Amino acid sequence: MSRTSDVWWKNAVFYCLDVETFQDSDGDGVGDFRGLSQRIDHLAALGVTCIWLMPFYPTPNHDDGYDIVDYYSVDPRLGSMGDFVEFVRTAADRGIRVIADLVVNHTSDQHPWFQEACSDRNSPRRDWYVWRDKIPDHGPTGVVFPDAEDSNWEWHEATGQYYLHRFYAHQPDLNISNPRVREEIRKITGFWLQIGLAGFRVDAVPFLLETKGIASPMALDPHDWLADLRSFISRRQGDAVLMGEVNLPYEEVRRFYGQGSSELNMCLDFNMNQALALALVRQDAGPLVHCLRSMPSLHPDDAWAHFARNHDEWSLDKLTEAERQEVFKAFGPREDMQLFGRGLRRRIPTMLDGNQARIRMLYSLVFALPGAPVLFYGEEIGMAENLDIPGRLSVRAPMQWSDHPSAGFSTAPPDQLRRPVVSAKGWGPADVSVAAEDRDQDSLLNWMQRLIRRRRETPEIAFGQSSFVPVPKAQIFGLRYDWGGRTVLLLHNLGETRCKTSCQIDGTEGWDGLSCFSGSGKFDLSDDGTLTVDLPAFGTLWLRAATGAATAINGG
């Protein structure tokens, strides 16, 4: 059991938030760290164990803070370093760790490093970025934001060269083949670990390690450098975590964990997330089963991070064109609901037409997957998107705390907020808010608290050996976990109709039956190991085998 705290990330519940849209403490329309500290008890009551902060560093804010001008400070709009330290201390007091986005693939073009690099071809900082006299044939291909860019190279008139940018032109890529850049990245991580962070969510890891387009070869393999960074971070703080954004096929994602457990501790599972979209649309567990079967094995200390909805568009780039159109038709049929031809800019509740049973089944399923769950702020109350906010930012509207005009997010009037609150009929703060749901025992918020508590009480999911429950009906998705003499069976009905089915469960000798600890539905386990379940539409059943070990642990 000691591993459940030593490798805490495997059994954690992560909560991603943007400080500037979470809580405003001073009425200027922008969220801040003082406001976030005031809302810590909401997250503690919810059961969150680790907060993931989106970028909070000084920025011109052309890309929601991912264009950084200073890696060693807090954007003044969000507060001071003192406010940040108070927040981390307050979170720790409530038993919550804090990680933050590490965005070092690129900087803002207003960063002093880039400004110095642009001043002269002979500038000491020139080689901190990637420059070429002409666009190289062997350079990177594919544009990340086709709505805004048509090339990965931008001409710099003053010095007569192109610079590389895998994202927007105002975000020049850092040159990781330069050892001084790599040393600076180590300093950045060391700085924030010293101040109290428990690790980092590493932004755009494949682009960070990419060396295409760099003129001089890197002295060491990029993965060896990532392993070196992990080693440095572990020396500074032994239980610090590195969670990577790696949206690649499974066999390529596996490389970023390294040999043994030498690079990333976790990766966000985009493959499973896209299989989840297809399974929901088809009401068929097949895509999930196929995805799990292709999931590579990991070192025992490593984990996947699973999510229903993240802070960007719901990317469907791993699906075939026909599959993608199938999801678009069901969850985002209008063009303004889609983005880049590859993703959706909606949140879960609106995509599922507010169907509470289906929404709850989805989150129960995500929490049942082999890995750690990640929530995006507002998911606990069923917040919707605001399609009036451009692009990917549609899902980043202000948090809805109450039914006040500015959603309890700020005392500023609605027209002075950083972003407009959700205004769609039935989804605004008058209909969806923390205050209202906190008073309603049957609300999504109170249900989510119970789900998180059950997930934390089920370390079998994080540490156990997973296998399928061999249910013959395609609409039922069943997972089994065995760990330390304990067994749980987690079943989910993806279908809109009731389903009754039976299957054979191996190894039931010595079991004293099954008990339900989450969900609803009927079940029976016969002496010969036949499990019969009767699940309502979008129903769930979390079952635990009653054994001597389980009885002792759970108090009988």
Side-chain angles (χ1 to χ4, degrees), residues 398-412:
M399 180 67 177
Q400 294 171 198
W401 296 103
S402 73
D403 61 359
H404 294 163
S406 293
F409 160 72
S410 175
T411 57

Side-chain angles (χ1 to χ4, degrees), residues 250-251 269 271-272 275 284-297 304 306 369-370 465-472 476-479:
Y250 270 140
E251 60 271 18
D269 195 345
N271 290 278
M272 182 63 69
D284 185 329
L288 296 172
V289 173
H290 175 76
C291 191
L292 277 168
R293 283 177 172 159
S294 62
M295 179 184 283
S297 60
W304 298 100
H306 295 295
L369 291 171
Q465 178 65 45
S466 65
S467 58
F468 294 110
V469 178
V471 182
I476 303 292
F477 179 58
L479 282 174

Side-chain angles (χ1 to χ4, degrees), residues 36 132 262 273 421 481:
L36 176 53
R132 301 300 295 265
S262 61
N273 185 244
V421 297
Y481 294 94

Side-chain angles (χ1 to χ4, degrees), residues 203-258:
D203 186 60
V205 187
F207 296 122
L208 173 62
L209 300 195
E210 186 178 66
T211 57
K212 290 181 179 179
I214 299 176
S216 54
M218 192 165 170
L220 72 165
D221 183 275
H223 282 277
D224 290 339
W225 169 69
L226 183 58
D228 180 70
L229 180 64
R230 162 77 180 277
S231 179
F232 168 82
I233 288 171
S234 296
R235 290 195 303 273
R236 289 294 177 94
Q237 187 168 306
D239 66 349
V241 67
L242 282 180
M243 177 196 292
E245 180 193 26
V246 186
N247 185 9
L248 294 172
Y250 270 140
E251 60 271 18
E252 296 179 54
V253 177
R254 180 62 185 84
R255 294 183 60 212
F256 290 82
Y257 284 96

Side-chain angles (χ1 to χ4, degrees), residues 208-528:
L208 173 62
L209 300 195
E210 186 178 66
T211 57
K212 290 181 179 179
I214 299 176
S216 54
M218 192 165 170
L220 72 165
D221 183 275
H223 282 277
D224 290 339
W225 169 69
L226 183 58
D228 180 70
L229 180 64
R230 162 77 180 277
S231 179
F232 168 82
I233 288 171
S234 296
R235 290 195 303 273
R236 289 294 177 94
Q237 187 168 306
D239 66 349
V241 67
L242 282 180
M243 177 196 292
E245 180 193 26
V246 186
N247 185 9
L248 294 172
Y250 270 140
E251 60 271 18
E252 296 179 54
V253 177
R254 180 62 185 84
R255 294 183 60 212
F256 290 82
Y257 284 96
Q259 297 298 317
S261 180
S262 61
E263 296 181 39
L264 299 173
N265 306 90
M266 308 182 75
C267 285
L268 291 156
D269 195 345
F270 290 91
N271 290 278
M272 182 63 69
N273 185 244
Q274 298 186 40
L276 180 63
L278 196 59
L280 286 173
V281 169
R282 294 179 174 176
Q283 300 185 23
D284 185 329
L288 296 172
V289 173
H290 175 76
C291 191
L292 277 168
R293 283 177 172 159
S294 62
M295 179 184 283
S297 60
L298 303 177
H299 184 277
D301 289 348
D302 293 340
W304 298 100
H306 295 295
F307 55 97
R309 193 65 179 85
N310 66 354
H311 62 285
D312 283 324
E313 80 273 12
W314 189 340
S315 179
L316 305 170
D317 64 313
K318 301 292 180 296
L319 302 183
T320 66
E321 183 59 30
E323 291 170 339
R324 189 159 43 248
Q325 292 304 321
E326 197 176 340
V327 176
F328 280 167
K329 182 179 179 181
F331 293 158
R334 299 202 319 256
E335 189 174 341
D336 68 331
M337 297 174 175
Q338 304 167 16
L339 197 63
F340 310 135
R342 66 177 185 231
L344 291 160
R345 43 191 305 262
R346 309 182 75 195
R347 279 182 176 248
I348 296 296
T350 51
M351 287 190 285
L352 300 186
D353 298 321
N355 186 318
Q356 279 294 309
R358 198 177 188 192
I359 291 167
R360 297 180 189 200
M361 181 278 296
L362 168 58
Y363 284 105
S364 175
L365 195 160
V366 169
F367 274 61
L369 291 171
V374 181
L375 289 171
F376 185 47
Y377 78 91
E379 285 193 287
E380 72 270 31
I381 58 171
M383 246 181 76
E385 74 284 349
N386 185 345
L387 293 176
D388 292 334
I389 303 173
R392 299 170 298 150
L393 305 187
S394 60
V395 298
R396 305 182 198 176
M399 180 67 177
Q400 294 171 198
W401 296 103
S402 73
D403 61 359
H404 294 163
S406 293
F409 160 72
S410 175
T411 57
D415 62 354
Q416 293 181 22
L417 301 184
R418 166 71 178 118
R419 287 199 196 102
V421 297
V422 173
S423 57
K425 185 178 180 181
W427 297 106
D431 299 287
V432 178
S433 73
V434 172
E437 295 193 26
D438 189 51
R439 297 189 297 267
D440 180 2
Q441 287 301 307
D442 295 325
S443 68
L444 180 62
L445 173 61
N446 278 294
W447 177 86
M448 192 72 78
Q449 290 174 347
R450 294 191 292 273
L451 175 66
I452 291 174
R453 185 165 66 249
R454 293 292 177 263
R455 173 62 184 78
R456 290 282 292 164
E457 293 170 350
T458 315
E460 293 95 333
I461 299 173
F463 296 95
Q465 178 65 45
S466 65
S467 58
F468 294 110
V469 178
V471 182
K473 295 293 182 72
Q475 71 191 75
I476 303 292
F477 179 58
L479 282 174
R480 171 177 176 162
Y481 294 94
D482 294 279
W483 181 61
R486 305 168 69 178
T487 299
V488 293
L489 309 175
L490 312 178
L491 299 110
H492 296 81
N493 182 4
L494 280 70
E496 59 189 348
T497 58
R498 174 186 168 189
C499 184
K500 184 175 182 179
T501 187
S502 299
C503 64
Q504 193 70 25
I505 304 297
D506 295 331
T508 60
E509 302 84 3
W511 289 10
D512 297 322
L514 292 168
S515 62
C516 175
F517 63 105
S518 183
S520 61
K522 299 177 182 179
F523 64 95
D524 178 71
L525 182 66
S526 63
D527 292 341
D528 67 355

